[in-house]
Amino acid sequence: MGKSTHFIGQPMYGQLIDLLDKRKVLEFGKNIGSEKYVKSFDAWQHLLVMLYAVIKRLDSLREISASMYPEAHKLAHIGITALPEGGLDEG
């Protein structure tokens, strides 16, 4: 029996991202003007972070930031180069 490379041993998050086209997401963002003032956190990274938050059932920016920072080195390979800011202040 041969090995199948179709989503075997891959986490659900990776499977979902493989179904998306990064070029089309960025093109759509540019067409509607959402990339006008973006420096590092573009539409693709925003989509990846929002999908991560939905899968992990996170409710707030504080939870998203706190959950993503420890996993930053694991998330770099999928294209997340900038993490969401906010909610990490002590106070």
Side-chain angles (χ1 to χ4, degrees):
M1 191 155 90
K3 283 188 175 183
S4 173
T5 58
H6 187 68
F7 301 141
I8 299 299
Q10 198 177 30
M12 182 175 61
Y13 186 62
Q15 293 177 28
L16 186 59
I17 291 170
D18 286 345
L19 297 173
L20 302 173
D21 185 3
K22 180 178 180 178
R23 184 184 54 79
K24 286 184 180 180
V25 170
L26 292 173
E27 182 180 321
F28 181 72
K30 286 182 182 179
N31 288 343
I32 63 170
S34 67
E35 303 290 313
K36 188 173 183 179
Y37 299 107
V38 171
K39 293 183 181 179
S40 62
F41 202 71
D42 58 9
W44 176 250
Q45 292 186 45
H46 192 193
L47 177 62
L48 294 180
V49 169
M50 293 297 105
L51 289 173
Y52 176 85
V54 168
I55 290 170
K56 294 278 193 170
R57 297 180 183 210
L58 304 172
D59 294 325
S60 68
L61 182 56
R62 179 180 299 241
E63 288 179 347
I64 295 169
S65 297
S67 176
M68 289 190 86
Y69 275 102
E71 297 186 25
H73 65 284
K74 296 179 190 175
L75 300 172
H77 74 282
I78 60 171
I80 297 179
T81 58
L83 295 175
E85 295 181 14
L88 290 179
D89 57 334
E90 300 280 331

